[in-house]
Amino acid sequence: MHRRTKIVALGAALLLTAGAAGSATATGDPEKSPGTAGKSREAAALTGTAKLYRSAGDDITFAFNAHLAAKDKADPMRATGTFEWSHYIDGEGAWAKAKVDCLVTGGKVAVVSGVVTDTDLPGEKGTRVGITVHDLGRHDRLGYSWATTEDLGPEDLPKCVGSAPFEKVKKGTGDFTVVPWQPDF
């Protein structure tokens, strides 16, 4: 065989192999996605970073890396990861980081809670907080459990409790992504 013929034959074989692999993963199964042949997707997730819009110019940032593994689909309190936020205005403010202890998602809405593990807010380490995110593409919204309290919130806040997502994400600053939870009922 000539070299050119061998290259064409090899290219055709690769295209046929790629096409077969692509059709095997495009089964329409919501539990599997292209590129994860045979693997189940995670049961739920909330990821991303964005700043909130405030007309007064506050610099408020939230970041999420929360996941519920497929094997833990029946128990949202087995979620893992962290989330963090900061709020500064005129150089004054604070930040905090929490370890995820629950994640529930439905459609494009997620509620995540966690216990503050690190912060520069005196007396708030060990406090449970909850945040709700509505994933609306480039116009996401967010709410937090401490919205109507002076501090981060009550010491006895239950897991997976947050407020309605009343805050708007500042245009062009990021985007949150919610992977919907689909429990077996």
Side-chain angles (χ1 to χ4, degrees):
M1 239 186 227
H2 295 293
R3 184 171 187 259
R4 190 174 293 171
T5 306
K6 287 180 184 178
I7 292 172
V8 170
L10 178 61
L14 288 172
L15 284 174
L16 288 172
T17 304
S23 65
T25 59
T27 63
D29 184 350
E31 294 298 309
K32 296 176 184 169
S33 58
T36 60
K39 295 181 185 176
S40 293
R41 74 164 178 88
E42 60 191 336
L46 170 59
T47 58
T49 302
K51 292 183 178 217
L52 298 187
Y53 170 76
R54 287 284 178 86
S55 59
D58 300 40
D59 182 7
I60 306 170
T61 303
F62 282 83
F64 300 94
N65 187 18
H67 303 272
L68 181 63
K71 68 181 178 60
D72 296 322
K73 182 177 184 177
D75 187 0
M77 289 184 267
R78 304 263 333 212
T80 61
T82 60
F83 56 96
E84 51 192 280
W85 65 97
S86 62
H87 184 168
Y88 293 95
I89 188 164
D90 297 328
E92 301 278 327
W95 61 270
K97 182 175 184 176
K99 181 180 177 191
V100 172
D101 63 11
C102 187
L103 173 66
V104 175
T105 63
K108 293 292 186 171
V109 176
V111 179
V112 63
S113 64
V115 175
V116 176
T117 58
D118 203 7
T119 183
D120 60 357
L121 289 167
E124 297 299 341
K125 197 170 183 180
T127 302
R128 176 174 289 113
V129 295
I131 301 174
T132 304
V133 170
H134 192 181
D135 176 7
L136 295 167
R138 296 178 187 256
H139 305 287
D140 294 344
R141 298 181 72 89
L142 183 139
Y144 33 84
S145 59
W146 61 92
T148 58
T149 61
E150 291 182 26
D151 297 320
L152 283 184
E155 300 266 336
D156 59 350
L157 181 75
K159 292 180 179 180
C160 270
V161 172
S163 74
F166 62 94
E167 296 264 19
K168 295 178 187 177
V169 168
K170 186 175 179 181
K171 188 176 180 176
T173 65
D175 192 14
F176 300 127
T177 301
V178 174
V179 174
W181 184 44
Q182 300 169 344
D184 297 324
F185 290 124

